Amino acid sequence: AQSVTQLGSHVSVSEGALVLLRCNYSSSVPPYLFWYVQYPNQGLQLLLKYTSAATLVKGINGFEAEFKKSETSFHLTKPSAHMSDAAEYFCAVSVRDKLIFGAGTRLAVHP
Amino acid sequence: NAGVTQTPKFQVLKTGQSMTLQCAQDMNHNSMYWYRQDPGMGLRLIYYSASEGTTDKGEVPNGYNVSRLNKREFSLRLESAAPSQTSVYFCASSEGNGGGEKLFFGSGTQLSVL
């Protein structure tokens, strides 16, 4: 069965530091993979998605993620954190006509 | 652009009461979904509707019913609310359902069952 595991429920970085949010998936077929972001008191918004066209996927707000089949990973990175990046981030895998989410990682950015 | 609209935004119920959460989208999307969000558990799919006239169970359907009233509207009903149904509920929609689809989310309904 397809599933998603996000390593670390909370991540804290300094403003300007590298952001790395980890996601591992399991899938019996080539997956579609997503990262969504949720700002406080809002619904989720799509950051980026992998659909097999390219292993390095660029998203909005300077985020990118690399699909590594050998490691079954789809980690999210941003070279330099901004205070406005503080939010909860969800990795998700598409299973036929449903989207299965990970538990989420809350990112805190401090000055 | 309204996108996905959910009502109400907040609701407090007593155990055993019933209520319906409303959701409407104005993007002419075929597929609609109801998720619940609980701390440390991410979003879990309750029910979804791949197209008008069809509904299917997700991961956690027990205690809920849904109606796809038309292409725009997809409601979620709690017949007899329980404290375990205290959660934040999100409605979402997508153009299709073949995988790789972007979901558009509403802003959520915070439900407390006492």
Side-chain angles (χ1 to χ4, degrees), chain B residues 76-105:
Chain B
L76 178 72
R77 183 161 178 83
L78 286 70
E79 291 291 352
S80 179
S84 61
Q85 294 178 305
T86 293
S87 187
V88 181
Y89 291 84
F90 287 99
C91 178
S93 69
S94 64
E95 186 172 346
N97 67 329
E101 298 284 346
K102 175 181 177 180
L103 264 61
F104 293 79
F105 284 83

Side-chain angles (χ1 to χ4, degrees), chain B residues 37-99:
Chain B
Q37 182 179 25
D38 302 291
M41 304 190 75
L43 279 77
R44 292 180 293 169
L45 183 64
I46 304 171
Y47 270 95
Y48 67 105
S49 171
S51 61
E52 187 179 356
T54 68
T55 60
D56 285 287
K57 295 179 180 179
E59 303 168 75
V60 288
N62 291 344
Y64 304 96
N65 285 301
V66 291
S67 295
R68 184 74 182 267
L69 304 171
N70 47 55
K71 193 171 185 179
R72 288 188 65 246
E73 299 172 287
F74 188 40
S75 63
L76 178 72
R77 183 161 178 83
L78 286 70
E79 291 291 352
S80 179
S84 61
Q85 294 178 305
T86 293
S87 187
V88 181
Y89 291 84
F90 287 99
C91 178
S93 69
S94 64
E95 186 172 346
N97 67 329

